[in-house]
């Protein structure tokens, strides 16, 4: 008789966005005349840029011709894409990352969930609180997180690093020493980030403690301030302690196209063992490559036309971000983020819980956002709005906020 992986049974409740989906569906059904504006889930709304569409079309045609057809992609990804990444994302910023340190994948969610496989089950993870749920849940499934306390909504074997207005959303070094540290910067959900000096301290800490940093830089394209690092490898010593995850979803609208990559430096070693070699082995065994067509689309992200078009796309979303941020400030809300990330993190008014504010906003303004508590206990009393809507919807949502 087979047995299931019991760790799945430990996962509490349903995934945050399915709970939100159910609530919104129930409200819509009861109020079919109401037009709901969704500033909840972090999905983009702008279409793919023309340079990307052109590259996709061209690659599709190549696939229909025996001379230019492509089958399985190379394990690490096509060299044309890895070269473009190395040149534009790293060498242009003074970081020497070689193409054999870049692993092309189908996105950062799967990589962020899978990367924990490289580490022993008794390793302790540290996460920011609030946090992107994938890091913790993937470690729950692997059996690394201990037991769940339904009262505090925390795992016994996870180190939580609260990031709240009280510490300016800068995680402090935990009392207990972690083995694996997850950092997402600029941050989802808070929309805040760290300066290069602040990140350097984490790199030094990790090197000193023999910890590894899993650095999720999915929102790198939204950085607007000069003192914010675009990659962790801008920090001295990061190559011996950090793995970086990147995605084409938020900078180029690839949420439905699927492309990302992970950087595992050759200098990153546990004793004699190269994590780069381990991830190459893992990739070769469990992944058969991102589609040729999609990798060509990824290459177009780095073309001159692609760069110019995507800069405009990011600016479009960031105009939404500043519109929401300033509008809410004027309406008397306390707001964070929205400067280096497409998320606005607001303090709920009148000491409402995150879910109370969710219901209030849904029922009285027909606007959907995301309750902060869904990202961790320190998110309680906060609420996330995304800048990924259309400008028109963003303005309309703000008008409704003002009538609350
Ligand atoms: C959106 C997002 C990702 C990217 O996921 P993809 O699988 O590449 O679409 C990764 N990390 C965070 C924190 C995100 O918000």
């Amino acid at each position: 008789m087979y047995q299931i992986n019991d760790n799945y049974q430990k996962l509490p409740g349903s995934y945050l966005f399915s709970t939100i989906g159910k609530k919104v569906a129930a409200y819509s059904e009861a109020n079919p005349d109401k037009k709901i504006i969704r500033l909840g889930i972090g999905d983009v709304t702008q279409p793919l840029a023309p340079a990307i569409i052109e590259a996709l079309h061209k690659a599709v045609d190549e696939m229909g011709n025996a001379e230019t057809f492509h089958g399985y992609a190379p394990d690490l990804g096509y060299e044309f894409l890895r070269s473009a990444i190395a040149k534009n994302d790293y060498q242009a910023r003074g970081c020497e990352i070689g193409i054999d340190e870049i692993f092309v994948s189908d996105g950062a969610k799967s990589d962020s969930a899978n990367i924990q496989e490289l580490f022993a089950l008794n390793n302790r993870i540290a996460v920011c609180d609030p946090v992107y749920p994938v890091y913790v849940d993937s470690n729950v499934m692997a059996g690394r997180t201990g037991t769940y306390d339904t009262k505090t909504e925390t795992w016994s074997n996870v180190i939580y690093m609260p990031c709240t207005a009280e510490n300016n959303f800068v995680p402090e070094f935990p009392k207990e020493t972690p083995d694996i540290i997850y950092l997402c910067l600029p941050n989802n959900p808070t929309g805040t980030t760290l300066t290069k000096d602040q990140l350097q301290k984490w790199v030094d800490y990790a090197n000193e403690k023999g910890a590894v940093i899993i650095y999720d830089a999915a929102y790198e394209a939204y950085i607007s301030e000069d003192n914010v690092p675009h990659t962790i490898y801008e920090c001295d010593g990061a190559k011996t302690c950090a793995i970086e995850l990147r995605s084409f979803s938020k900078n180029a609208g690839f949420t439905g196209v699927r492309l990302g990559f992970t950087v595992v430096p050759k200098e990153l070693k546990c004793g004699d063992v190269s994590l780069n070699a381990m991830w190459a082995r893992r990739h070769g065994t469990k992944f058969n490559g991102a589609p040729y067509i999609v990798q060509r689309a990824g290459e177009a992200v780095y073309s001159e036309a692609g760069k110019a078009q995507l800069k405009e796309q990011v600016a479009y979303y960031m105009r939404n971000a500043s519109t929401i941020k300033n509008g809410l400030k004027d309406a008397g809300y306390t707001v964070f983020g929205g400067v280096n990330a497409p998320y606005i993190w607001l303090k709920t008014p009148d000491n409402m819980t995150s879910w109370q504010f969710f219901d209030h906003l849904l029922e009285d303004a027909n606007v959907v956002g995301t309750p902060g508590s869904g990202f961790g206990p320190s998110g309680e009393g906060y609420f996330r709005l995304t800048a990924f809507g259309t400008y028109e919807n963003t303005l309309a949502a703000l008008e409704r906020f003002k009538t609350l």
Side-chain angles (χ1 to χ4, degrees), residues 107-109 132 135 184 188 216 218-219 247 249-250 258:
K109 187 184 210 175
Y132 180 59
Y135 315 145
C184 171
N188 173 11
D216 185 342
Y219 295 96
S247 167
S249 288
K250 313 300 166 33
R258 311 307 308 143

Side-chain angles (χ1 to χ4, degrees), residues 42-43 105-112 131-135 184-189 216-219 245-250 254-256 258-261 343 384 388:
D43 199 357
S105 73
D106 63 354
K109 187 184 210 175
S110 39
D111 282 355
S112 69
V131 69
Y132 180 59
V134 176
Y135 315 145
C184 171
L185 299 164
N187 190 256
N188 173 11
D216 185 342
Y219 295 96
L245 313 171
R246 295 280 279 258
S247 167
F248 288 77
S249 288
K250 313 300 166 33
F254 277 38
T255 53
R258 311 307 308 143
L259 191 66
F261 63 90
Y343 293 112
R384 191 191 76 173
F388 283 134

Side-chain angles (χ1 to χ4, degrees), residues 44-182:
V44 297
T45 52
Q46 292 292 298
L48 294 174
I52 293 162
I53 292 295
E54 199 181 308
L56 282 168
H57 278 300
K58 188 163 163 260
V60 166
D61 287 341
E62 285 181 63
M63 293 298 273
N65 189 322
E67 280 82 63
T68 48
F69 169 78
H70 285 75
Y72 288 126
D75 274 355
L76 270 59
Y78 284 101
E79 194 167 327
F80 61 76
L81 177 58
R82 289 184 294 128
S83 302
I85 291 168
K87 184 163 159 271
N88 290 278
D89 285 328
Y90 296 102
Q91 281 146 26
R93 300 200 179 277
C95 306
E96 280 311 314
I97 293 293
I99 63 165
D100 48 1
E101 296 175 302
I102 295 166
F103 297 79
V104 173
S105 73
D106 63 354
K109 187 184 210 175
S110 39
D111 282 355
S112 69
N114 290 328
I115 199 77
Q116 47 78 27
E117 277 184 39
L118 301 190
F119 305 99
L121 278 185
N122 62 0
N123 278 193
R124 283 199 85 182
I125 70 162
V127 294
C128 292
D129 172 22
V131 69
Y132 180 59
V134 176
Y135 315 145
V136 174
D137 287 0
S138 56
N139 277 285
V140 174
M141 292 169 177
R144 206 176 273 110
T145 54
T147 53
Y148 188 67
D149 182 337
T150 48
K151 259 215 198 91
T152 57
E153 299 186 339
T154 56
W155 294 90
S156 60
N157 208 31
V158 172
I159 299 169
Y160 292 88
M161 305 182 290
C163 294
T164 61
E166 283 68 44
N167 61 11
N168 279 317
F169 303 95
V170 178
E172 289 150 31
F173 299 137
K175 285 191 200 80
E176 302 156 278
T177 305
D179 302 300
I180 304 167
I181 302 161
Y182 286 87

Side-chain angles (χ1 to χ4, degrees), residues 34 40 53 59 67 108-109 127 188 214 230 232 238 270-271 307 311 332-333 361:
K34 295 281 191 341
I53 292 295
E67 280 82 63
K109 187 184 210 175
V127 294
N188 173 11
I214 311 296
H230 286 256
I232 194 166
C270 186
K307 280 191 221 173
K311 204 172 157 190
Y333 286 86
L361 199 61

Side-chain angles (χ1 to χ4, degrees), residues 1 14 16 95 166 178 181 198 243 280:
M1 171 83 188
S14 60
L16 173 63
C95 306
E166 283 68 44
I181 302 161
Q198 288 169 328
I243 291 172

